[in-house]
Amino acid sequence: MRNTDRKRILITGGAGFLGSHLCERLLAEGHDVLCVDNFFTGTKDNVAHLLGNPRFELLRHDVTFPLYVEMDEIYNLACPASPVHYQHDPVQTTKTSVHGAINMLGLAKRVRAKIFQASTSEVYGDPQVHPQRENYWGHVNPIGFRSCYDEGKRCAETLFFDYYRQHRLRIKVARIFNTYGPRMHPNDGRVVSNFIVQALKNEPITVYGDGSQSRSFCYVDDMIDGFIRLMDSPDDFTGPVNLGNPTEFTIEELSKRVIALTGSKSKLVYKPLPSDDPVQRQPDISLARTKLGWESTVALEQGLVKTIAYFEGLFRSVR
Ligand code: NAD
Ligand code: UDP
């Protein structure tokens, strides 16, 4: 256990991809974890292995409604993260980000808890500055298909900083860049899971556009380490802080690596680029390096091998 006392920690969106890994890590460190989720994109399966732990509680709850619990720390992760899911019900996506933030900030204020916000690189939109630093205000379309997510997350950041200024709340805002790993939803629509699932099924690999757009991919264990370092950092460090892997790959390069690592017979098929799809995205992580002593350590190849093994296991279990 870290040299902190045992804490009562609430994780909203705890049954999702990142949330389930965070629950696992904090329980392993000896804390009491309350996982709150409405199971929109997360599943009980993601946390089933934790249910026998007496320090773990699972509560079905929608964060757009108030929640009254006693907590020392709150990690606010509730929000669908994949474009397919967050565009399915865009009004609910905005409500989850904005009403969810208001409810969790209100809770933090009442019980004087420290609160972490899972913000996103999407607050930079389709960036005109490269790589992105935290002082870049972004280039976001306010009325497009991605806006419910991007603007919802931007408004949540505003609320966090207003609670910090107005109510002296202890806040921690992480801007998360593309993260991948075991427990991504197989129909999530995000590029790493899509390509691995398609490759394992020997189905065509769907490259959107000409595949020259780039992203940087961070393995989940590194990201969770960043979350905890940020939460444990001194109170005067609020963020926002970029967390991600700065090594950039084009989507076409990613597809070729996945084919090579799976030994798949899949061929690439090129599909239209979704609207407002950012051309390039890469975090500048100097602030995380300086303030948190954090950087990603898992190379893409290593992380892909573990993620491929997870999906192989998942498909074996449903056969
Ligand atoms: P995910 O979809 O797997 O997890 C989100 C969880 O929130 C799910 O379990 C879902 O059921 C739950 N949820 C959604 N709406 C809710 C509501 N109204 N009330 C309660 N629970 C609700 O996604 P993830 O990749 O684990 O993302 C977690 C957080 O990190 C999200 O806030 C996302 O915006 C942020 N993020 C993730 C990435 C990434 O690459 N994975 C990148 C940037 C930001
Ligand atoms: N993408 C792709 N094929 C897919 C899914 C996604 O080419 O099957 C592309 C997508 O257009 C984008 C990139 O991969 O340029 C990353 O997409 P993802 O949805 O994973 O994340 P985001 O766009 O939010 O970074």
Side-chain angles (χ1 to χ4, degrees):
M1 176 147 185
R2 287 173 287 154
N3 59 353
T4 48
D5 296 326
R6 174 169 166 179
K7 285 180 287 208
R8 297 160 304 173
I9 304 181
L10 166 63
I11 304 176
T12 75
F17 161 49
L18 295 178
S20 61
H21 287 272
L22 184 61
C23 288
E24 219 168 60
R25 258 296 282 279
L26 292 170
L27 282 170
E29 292 193 354
H31 299 293
D32 293 328
V33 171
L34 171 60
C35 168
V36 163
D37 208 296
N38 70 349
F39 304 120
F40 174 50
T41 51
T43 64
K44 277 191 200 157
D45 289 345
N46 283 341
V47 290
H49 59 298
L50 305 176
L51 289 172
N53 187 327
R55 284 182 286 101
F56 181 71
E57 274 181 279
L58 176 61
L59 175 68
R60 181 191 290 268
H61 174 80
D62 184 323
V63 294
T64 61
F65 297 95
L67 178 68
Y68 296 90
V69 286
E70 303 306 313
M71 287 291 143
D72 302 307
E73 289 182 352
I74 302 169
Y75 285 86
N76 187 36
L77 270 60
C79 186
S82 103
V84 174
H85 290 139
Y86 73 64
Q87 288 171 23
H88 170 75
D89 185 349
V91 174
Q92 174 67 11
T93 300
T94 302
K95 281 188 187 169
T96 294
S97 278
V98 178
H99 293 189
I102 291 171
N103 288 330
M104 291 307 118
L105 287 162
L107 170 63
K109 181 177 161 228
R110 185 176 65 79
V111 301
R112 299 314 296 171
K114 198 180 342 177
I115 181 164
F116 168 106
Q117 168 66 358
S119 191
T120 168
S121 54
E122 297 283 338
V123 299
Y124 301 122
D126 191 357
Q128 293 173 315
V129 168
H130 195 74
Q132 294 83 52
R133 290 187 83 129
E134 292 83 351
N135 61 4
Y136 177 51
W137 290 355
H139 180 231
V140 178
N141 175 358
I143 57 166
F145 291 109
R146 294 175 86 107
S147 311
C148 57
Y149 184 75
D150 301 8
E151 298 289 20
K153 290 284 188 179
R154 285 169 68 95
C155 183
E157 284 201 12
T158 307
L159 284 161
F160 267 69
F161 278 87
D162 284 333
Y163 269 78
Y164 168 69
R165 285 183 288 254
Q166 206 174 323
H167 301 297
R168 312 309 309 161
L169 218 60
R170 290 172 299 156
I171 62 159
K172 303 284 175 185
V173 177
R175 291 187 178 153
I176 305 166
F177 284 66
N178 295 57
T179 306
Y180 70 99
R183 300 200 203 113
M184 288 184 92
H185 198 292
N187 303 325
D188 181 284
R190 277 180 285 186
V191 69
V192 175
S193 44
N194 264 14
F195 285 3
I196 293 177
V197 169
Q198 291 162 345
L200 290 176
K201 295 183 172 171
N202 291 309
E203 288 172 359
I205 305 261
T206 53
V207 175
Y208 300 159
D210 62 4
S212 64
Q213 72 273 31
S214 68
R215 294 291 187 276
S216 53
F217 301 100
C218 183
Y219 188 65
V220 61
D221 291 354
D222 281 335
M223 185 55 67
I224 299 303
D225 188 49
F227 285 10
I228 293 174
R229 280 177 191 241
L230 175 58
M231 188 62 119
D232 287 352
S233 64
D235 285 351
D236 63 357
F237 183 61
T238 57
V241 59
N242 290 338
L243 295 178
N245 184 343
T247 316
E248 210 177 338
F249 294 91
T250 68
I251 296 306
E252 196 170 41
E253 273 171 59
L254 175 72
S255 66
K256 290 185 176 151
R257 278 179 191 239
V258 170
I259 291 177
L261 288 171
T262 49
S264 172
K265 298 188 184 67
S266 295
K267 297 275 175 280
L268 305 188
V269 291
Y270 292 84
K271 302 262 182 185
L273 195 65
S275 71
D276 296 333
D277 197 276
V279 175
Q280 209 177 12
R281 201 193 279 135
Q282 185 193 24
D284 178 325
I285 60 161
S286 333
L287 189 64
R289 279 200 183 101
T290 316
K291 293 285 188 179
L292 309 176
W294 179 88
E295 63 185 343
S296 54
T297 57
V298 181
L300 183 65
E301 201 103 336
Q302 256 178 301
L304 284 178
V305 167
K306 292 185 191 189
T307 313
I308 290 166
Y310 165 77
F311 280 110
E312 278 172 339
L314 192 70
F315 295 147
R316 260 199 306 275
S317 68
V318 294
R319 254 178 221 144

